[in-house]
Amino acid sequence: MPRPLGDLEDAVMTRVWQWNRPVTVREVLEDLQQERSIAYTTVMTVMDNLHQKGWVRREVDGRAYRYTAVSTRAAYSAALMNEAWSRSDNPAAALVAFFGMMSPEQREALQDAVRMVSPGPADKAPAGPAEPTASTAEGGPPADDAAPESGR
């Protein structure tokens, strides 16, 4: 389980995740400087720490490194939620409390996610005989792809 990112680590990783491409310390620095006063060496140290912790991989590009996220923000968030949930002495109660904190939009997103990972009724139906095609149901010839080989 990943430890939660610190504030500055999160600010750096947010940019790496949003840009979704290899980034340099200079690019991250310039973007961060739009909101706060920060030194190049501070950003370089944070990015090196993120590399050491396994959050980013880096490749040499001339005299600099280019950093790329190892996983997605969604995977990070999911790991944090899973860790918090698994530490509960009553996971069902924790989920009920969590759902109670959600906005209607978040609950709708959760329902969509559950539908995506749960098999639907069509997935649960046993395999049976194929439905007749319109032509065979009406007594017509079978479809071309169902015709027997001619033995040519």
Side-chain angles (χ1 to χ4, degrees):
M1 160 58 198
R3 285 188 10 229
L5 296 170
D7 289 340
L8 189 51
E9 289 174 326
D10 186 67
V12 169
M13 283 306 300
T14 294
R15 282 147 181 87
V16 175
W17 282 319
Q18 285 176 342
W19 296 338
N20 196 28
R21 62 174 172 75
V23 299
T24 64
V25 171
R26 175 77 50 204
E27 290 173 306
V28 174
L29 171 72
E30 290 172 358
D31 200 60
L32 283 170
Q33 284 179 330
Q34 294 178 25
E35 0 177 294
R36 65 176 89 185
S37 176
I38 191 166
Y40 180 92
T41 54
T42 302
V43 176
M44 182 176 64
T45 299
V46 169
M47 294 186 81
D48 184 61
N49 290 344
L50 289 167
H51 175 257
Q52 298 300 321
K53 293 177 179 181
W55 286 105
V56 294
R57 72 176 65 88
R58 66 185 180 194
E59 296 178 8
V60 176
D61 183 16
R63 293 179 44 202
Y65 285 113
R66 288 206 174 266
Y67 294 85
T68 308
V70 170
S71 67
T72 64
R73 178 152 209 133
Y76 166 69
S77 298
L80 290 178
M81 289 187 289
N82 187 56
E83 175 68 15
W85 183 51
S86 66
R87 288 184 180 204
S88 173
D89 59 350
N90 187 340
L95 282 175
V96 169
F98 180 63
F99 297 158
M101 295 177 197
M102 297 174 105
S103 69
E105 294 80 16
Q106 290 171 320
R107 282 193 294 275
E108 186 175 325
L110 176 64
Q111 289 171 337
D112 291 344
V114 168
R115 278 192 291 272
M116 289 170 61
V117 298
S118 298
D123 297 330
K124 293 180 184 176
E131 298 264 337
T133 63
S135 61
T136 58
E138 296 168 4
D144 289 341
D145 59 294
E149 291 286 326
S150 62
R152 288 184 225 161

